[in-house]
């Protein structure tokens, strides 16, 4: 009797396994995986081509975008963010190198959006909230935390003819500027103690130090922080709304932080980093000017309202009665800082 019960249970188990295997037959390795179909959130004419998001980047601005010498693929932080953005919009991604002339690429209809737009230097097109922080920063080796005073005589390295080199010359007249051919050389000198600081764009400098395995960090910012944003034509209301919502979603979900960690070693946070003396003074002056403009604007509005009220009252009475802030500018061209070209090949972009 017991043997019969064991046989019944064994038969039931075999039948269950057979059914399970039959159910798995449709998932055999011989059948290729097909990802779920995308559901586009925007379509033509909001985008150039239905189902595709054409994105413009500047491949001369690594690590935001670049092309490793061993590949024709465009990779970088902006490419990864664009891939995540396209996924949010339910579109396939097409990355196009448009150089630094973002405005022409948008106006000519070459691309739908552009990445890596410095919010502080944007053109006449619309820009989203920033997804990456940026500023000219001073880097030092781990253990150094002092912000150099205005009268410092320290040696500061910066890439020759760059915006950062100009910032050093402008603020620290008593310092020695070591103009290097590239940031790799500048950080190498910092690691050897040949210079006290390196001035560079916060993103590009962090990437250069991280790629070289140099334990440098930002001790001060030489300007109030700005940020990199997405740009599109101002008249494209539908795409502006969709991109703005998608960028906000990528930020709140921590996706951009994951991308930053991949390329920079950790997410970059500039809000708590102190400013150099000149940058602090400029920020304070800008704040005072903004406060004055605000109060002046309110007073002007009140004055206009009062005048308008008086005019209206006079009009009504007539109807009833039957009567009646300049400093020297940084070079505009040839100032782009370059991270080591070979570093661009060290990380692959996130799949779209």
């Amino acid at each position: 009797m017991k043997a019969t019960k064991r046989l019944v249970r064994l038969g039931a188990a075999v039948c269950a396994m057979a059914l399970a295997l039959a159910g798995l037959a449709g998932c055999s390795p011989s059948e290729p995986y097909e990802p779920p179909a995308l559901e586009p959130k925007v379509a033509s004419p909001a985008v150039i081509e239905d189902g595709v998001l054409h994105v413009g980047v500047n491949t001369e601005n690594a690590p935001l975008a670049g092309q490793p010498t061993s590949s024709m693929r465009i990779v970088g932080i902006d490419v990864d963010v664009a891939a995540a953005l396209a996924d949010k919009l339910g579109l396939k991604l097409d990355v196009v190198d448009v150089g630094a002339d973002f405005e022409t690429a948008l106006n000519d209809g070459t691309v739908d959006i552009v990445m890596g737009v410095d919010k502080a230097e944007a053109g006449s097109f619309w820009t989203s909230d920033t997804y990456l922080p940026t500023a000219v920063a001073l880097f030092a080796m781990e253990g150094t935390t002092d912000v150099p005073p205005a009268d410092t005589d320290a040696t500061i390295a910066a890439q020759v003819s760059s915006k950062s080199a100009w910032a050093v010359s402008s603020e620290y007249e008593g310092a020695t500027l070591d103009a290097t051919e590239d940031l790799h050389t500048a950080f190498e000198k910092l690691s050897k103690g040949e210079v006290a600081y390196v001035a560079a764009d916060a993103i590009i400098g962090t990437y250069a130090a991280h790629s070289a395995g140099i334990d440098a960090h930002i001790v001060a910012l030489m300007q109030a922080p700005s940020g990199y944003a997405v740009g599109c034509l101002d008249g494209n209301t539908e795409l502006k709304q969709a991109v703005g919502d998608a960028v906000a979603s990528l930020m709140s979900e921590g996706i951009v932080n994951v991308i930053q960690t991949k390329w920079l070693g950790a997410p970059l946070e500039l809000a708590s980093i102190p400013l150099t003396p000149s940058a602090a003074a400029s920020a304070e002056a800008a704040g005072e000017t903004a406060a004055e403009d605000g109060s002046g604007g309110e007073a002007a509005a009140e004055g206009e309202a009062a005048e308008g009220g008086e005019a209206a009252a006079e009009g009504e009475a007539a109807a009833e009665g039957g009567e009646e802030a300049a400093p020297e500018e940084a070079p505009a061209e040839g100032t782009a800082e370059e991270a080591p070209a070979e570093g661009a090949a060290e990380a692959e972009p996130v799949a779209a």
Side-chain angles (χ1 to χ4, degrees):
M1 184 67 179
K2 291 182 179 179
T4 303
K5 288 182 178 180
R6 283 198 298 271
L7 289 173
V8 169
R9 287 198 295 269
L10 180 61
V14 170
C15 288
M17 290 178 63
L19 289 172
L21 290 173
L24 291 173
C27 300
S28 65
S30 61
E31 295 184 12
Y33 168 74
E34 291 187 9
L38 297 174
E39 296 182 7
K41 295 184 179 178
V42 288
S44 177
V47 290
I48 300 167
E49 179 184 357
D50 281 334
V52 181
L53 184 67
H54 297 278
V55 180
V57 298
N58 179 10
T59 57
E60 296 298 319
N61 201 19
L64 297 182
Q67 282 184 294
T69 53
S70 59
S71 171
M72 292 300 292
R73 294 182 65 190
I74 300 176
V75 298
I77 298 174
D78 278 351
V79 178
D80 287 357
V81 175
L85 192 62
D87 189 62
K88 284 286 183 185
L89 299 179
L91 303 173
K92 294 180 180 179
L93 176 65
D94 175 46
V95 179
V96 182
D97 179 15
V98 298
D101 194 355
F102 293 151
E103 195 149 5
T104 297
L106 290 171
N107 288 328
D108 288 353
T110 304
V111 294
D112 299 302
I113 63 173
V114 289
M115 306 291 296
V117 181
D118 190 332
K119 190 83 170 179
E121 303 173 359
S124 60
F125 51 86
W126 172 86
T127 53
S128 70
D129 289 340
T130 60
Y131 58 88
L132 281 177
T134 185
V136 176
L138 282 178
F139 292 79
M141 291 301 292
E142 213 46 59
T144 300
T145 58
D146 295 336
V147 177
D151 60 352
T152 185
D153 59 357
T155 300
I156 304 175
Q159 184 170 318
V160 64
S161 300
S162 67
K163 181 178 178 181
S164 300
W166 175 86
V168 172
S169 298
S170 178
E171 176 166 358
Y172 292 116
E173 295 180 358
T176 300
L177 173 63
D178 187 344
T180 61
E181 286 299 316
D182 52 52
L183 281 181
H184 176 79
T185 302
F187 277 101
E188 190 174 61
K189 288 188 172 186
L190 180 66
S191 68
K192 294 178 179 178
E194 296 176 10
V195 299
Y197 301 95
V198 169
D201 173 88
I203 292 287
I204 298 174
T206 299
Y207 171 73
H210 175 66
S211 299
I214 295 173
D215 196 11
H217 67 119
I218 298 174
V219 295
L221 303 180
M222 300 188 72
Q223 60 180 172
S226 177
Y228 291 112
V230 182
C232 78
L233 291 177
D234 192 50
N236 195 339
T237 306
E238 183 182 352
L239 188 57
K240 280 164 51 176
Q241 182 65 51
V243 168
D245 291 345
V247 169
S249 179
L250 294 179
M251 296 295 291
S252 65
E253 293 172 6
I255 294 174
V256 175
N257 281 349
V258 172
I259 294 171
Q260 284 196 66
T261 300
K262 166 187 165 182
W263 289 92
L264 308 177
L268 196 60
E269 175 55 58
L270 302 183
S272 61
I273 296 177
L275 301 177
T276 58
S278 178
S282 296
E284 184 178 355
E288 290 175 356
T289 301
E292 289 173 3
D293 289 346
S295 60
E298 290 173 6
E302 290 174 1
E304 289 174 3
E307 290 175 4
E310 290 172 4
E314 290 173 1
E316 289 174 4
E320 291 174 1
E323 295 179 4
E324 156 174 326
E328 182 185 357
E329 295 182 357
E333 299 179 359
T335 61
E337 292 170 328
E338 297 179 0
E342 65 272 15
E346 294 180 5
E348 292 296 321
V350 173

